[in-house]
Amino acid sequence: MKKILFIGAEAMPFAATGGLGDVLGSLPAEIAKAGGEDVDVRVMLPLYSAVSQEWRAQMKHECDYQMSLSWRMVYCGVESLVKDGVTYYFIDNEYYFNREALYGHFDDGERFAFFSKAAIDVLSKLDFYPDVIHAHDWQAAMSVVYLDRKYRRIRGYENIKTVFTIHNIEYQGKYDFLILGDVFELKNDSKYIVEYDGCINLMKGAIACANKVTTVSPRYAEEIKGEEHSHGLSQILNDNAFKLCGILNGIDYDYYNPQTDKTISKTYTWRSLKNKAVNKAAFQQEVGLPQRDDVPLISVISRLASHKGLDLITDMIYDLLSTRDVQFVVLGKGDVKYENFFRELEQRFPDKVRAMLIYDRDLSKRVYAASDIFLMPSKSEPCGLSQMIASRYGVIPVTRETGGLYDSIKGYWEKDGKMLGNGFTFANYSAAELADRACAAIDLWNNTEKRNKLIGRIMRTDFSWTASAKKYIEMYESL
Ligand code: GLC
């Protein structure tokens, strides 16, 4: 039996802020399902105050003790619960994790150094020695480094293999050498491992130590070897290219399922698109837009950050709304400049635009169910999940050919009377190209027969975890 331990900073439904939480909330259970009796899958997370009472009530207290971290002793508790065939461990320390937000604190480096060390240290207390440790993003990067530098010679730890997955290379965990000892508990003889570009770089340390480095799409695995997408890490990635591969994410097909989703007005499949239209009418009523079924509803559901391609949208949307008969909704919060832009846009086009500047998962499902066309013109996108969720809900994606968007959405095309592709795509980071493809999507949508045919194709595209869970298991085995 293979024992796999995931280590990461967030997982649905316990605590999540973005795509990492989606993946750590669904991939472990998919691997447990695909591997059956042959795998034992466990996950290590921080016990944030955001984890609800409902979950806490189901937890079992595993152990607690004082763990050494540099020159001090710190409390470390472990709680556990089993869900969907996966054991979840929660590392408890109120000083570090009893705070309102998951991240964004002045001492995040120290908080995740603690978490990463505890994740390795507790294994001997739990008497659980995995075959593979699979750590995710910078917050868990040090677990890979600590295993190598501090635990390898302890019985049980000798043969553990390690995988490090990059969900977003933009966030690396960079710190001044001043805190190498006090915060990261590393001596000078380990400095070279985390050293990169004149500072401590936690992600670099994990890339250097891990047996395998993966990222969340094949295209992104290629892109981050080049300077344009690597945020400075291309050198270390090229040095370690032999370890690097990309495996495309999937989405949780039970949670995102228009056939059973209780949060939407009427459930539907690709065979009952009439019922999808009921969702559009209900949503238009909910937000006070004219209840029209003859205009396409275009949506953007995204963190309002520049790398999501918001500058392209703000550049082209005014013209589009002035010249075409469409409705437009944006759901998400982020940079104030974009929030203000969309607020003003709604005032300028009160009959066409709604700006919902919040993060709300249930509302997002109602928007997917109601929408016809989905814009996602990211500047860079490791994988992207929204284009897959949109597809699952029968929304025509308009995406830029980068990272996981390139791997998941192929441009619509007709050849010898056959329809190919599952969306509209463009290559350059250009508002004119986005506008052109958005207009092509609108034109196709206005042709009912073609629209239904393309939406059927899109909804039948497989974005489940099935294929990728198998690839992960093969990779673990290859180690
Ligand atoms: C990050 C990336 C996103 C990816 C997600 C899950 O949020 O930005 O592209 O889909 O991680 O891997």
Side-chain angles (χ1 to χ4, degrees), residues 46-98:
L47 184 58
Y48 301 104
S49 45
V51 178
S52 73
Q53 207 44 49
E54 181 198 342
W55 295 116
R56 285 171 192 259
Q58 298 174 36
M59 288 178 190
K60 172 178 161 219
H61 183 71
E62 296 279 351
C63 62
D64 60 82
Y65 63 106
Q66 297 287 322
M67 182 181 86
S68 75
L69 186 63
S70 185
W71 45 267
R72 54 209 186 279
M73 300 299 283
V74 288
Y75 174 88
C76 176
V78 185
E79 313 291 318
S80 73
L81 65 79
V82 179
K83 181 177 172 286
D84 303 330
V86 175
T87 302
Y88 290 86
Y89 293 115
F90 298 84
I91 301 289
D92 181 22
N93 177 305
E94 296 226 332
Y95 170 69
Y96 288 130
F97 301 126
N98 185 6

Side-chain angles (χ1 to χ4, degrees), residues 31 60 82 85 90-91 104 115 167 215 253 256 261 296 304 368 382 405 450 454:
I31 288 178
K60 172 178 161 219
V82 179
F90 298 84
I91 301 289
F115 170 66
H167 292 261
T215 183
Y253 257 36
Y256 296 111
D261 194 335
L304 303 181
Y368 285 119
L405 291 174
K450 286 195 177 181
L454 181 62

Side-chain angles (χ1 to χ4, degrees), residues 214-470:
T214 78
T215 183
V216 286
S217 70
R219 178 73 163 205
Y220 194 62
E222 286 309 310
E223 286 175 348
I224 54 178
K225 286 189 265 178
E227 274 171 26
E228 190 193 335
H229 291 277
S230 75
H231 290 268
L233 284 180
S234 53
Q235 182 64 52
I236 182 80
L237 285 165
N238 280 295
D239 291 349
N240 288 278
F242 68 98
K243 302 181 183 172
L244 181 64
C245 77
I247 299 178
L248 193 68
N249 285 333
I251 54 170
D252 185 333
Y253 257 36
D254 295 326
Y255 182 73
Y256 296 111
N257 185 355
Q259 199 174 352
T260 55
D261 194 335
K262 293 201 175 63
T263 59
I264 63 177
S265 303
K266 190 150 183 92
T267 56
Y268 59 96
T269 69
W270 65 274
R271 288 178 204 276
S272 55
L273 290 175
K274 278 195 311 295
N275 293 342
K276 177 169 168 62
V278 175
N279 288 286
K280 180 165 162 183
F283 178 74
Q284 286 166 329
Q285 189 181 32
E286 177 183 341
V287 298
L289 281 172
Q291 251 181 342
R292 291 178 59 188
D293 60 6
D294 61 325
V295 293
L297 177 63
I298 302 175
S299 62
V300 170
I301 301 177
S302 173
R303 202 149 37 85
L304 303 181
S306 113
H307 69 259
K308 292 287 178 188
L310 267 295
D311 295 316
L312 298 193
I313 295 172
T314 54
D315 264 11
M316 53 70 85
I317 197 70
Y318 197 97
D319 270 0
L320 189 80
L321 288 162
S322 311
T323 55
R324 306 290 305 239
D325 199 7
V326 295
Q327 294 180 345
F328 176 74
V329 291
V330 55
L331 172 63
K333 55 183 187 175
D335 282 5
V336 178
K337 70 171 177 186
Y338 301 125
E339 292 193 354
N340 288 340
F341 176 91
F342 289 120
R343 256 186 220 114
E344 279 166 30
L345 195 72
E346 180 179 315
Q347 280 166 13
R348 174 68 184 79
F349 298 99
D351 288 339
K352 288 185 161 184
V353 175
R354 283 297 172 271
M356 297 174 292
L357 306 171
I358 49 170
Y359 173 82
D360 181 331
R361 288 183 92 94
D362 283 350
L363 177 58
S364 79
K365 287 172 146 201
R366 295 204 295 282
V367 178
Y368 285 119
S371 312
D372 300 302
I373 295 170
F374 186 74
L375 306 185
M376 191 165 176
S378 306
K379 193 183 278 172
S380 97
E381 193 61 74
C383 176
L385 303 172
S386 314
Q387 81 279 16
M388 301 183 187
I389 302 168
S391 301
R392 180 93 165 129
Y393 283 81
V395 194
I396 302 169
V398 179
T399 56
R400 188 167 163 258
E401 293 154 15
T402 183
L405 291 174
Y406 173 88
D407 288 322
S408 56
I409 308 296
K410 299 292 173 196
Y412 156 82
W413 192 248
E414 274 186 37
K415 200 178 165 210
D416 307 329
K418 254 193 91 177
M419 199 179 256
L420 303 170
N422 59 339
F424 288 81
T425 73
F426 61 99
N428 297 302
Y429 193 69
S430 135
E433 288 190 23
L434 169 61
D436 179 74
R437 292 296 84 197
C439 287
I442 294 166
D443 292 339
L444 180 130
W445 189 88
N446 282 323
N447 177 328
T448 316
E449 195 189 320
K450 286 195 177 181
R451 173 210 305 174
N452 289 339
K453 203 166 155 198
L454 181 62
I455 293 177
R457 272 183 71 78
I458 290 172
M459 290 183 77
R460 282 176 318 222
T461 311
D462 184 10
F463 290 125
S464 72
W465 273 110
T466 313
S468 297
K470 247 195 232 135

Side-chain angles (χ1 to χ4, degrees), residues 23-44:
V23 172
L24 286 184
S26 51
L27 176 60
E30 293 287 342
I31 288 178
K33 195 166 79 185
E37 299 281 288
D38 298 335
V39 295
D40 174 357
V41 185
R42 308 192 188 189
V43 181
M44 197 81 77

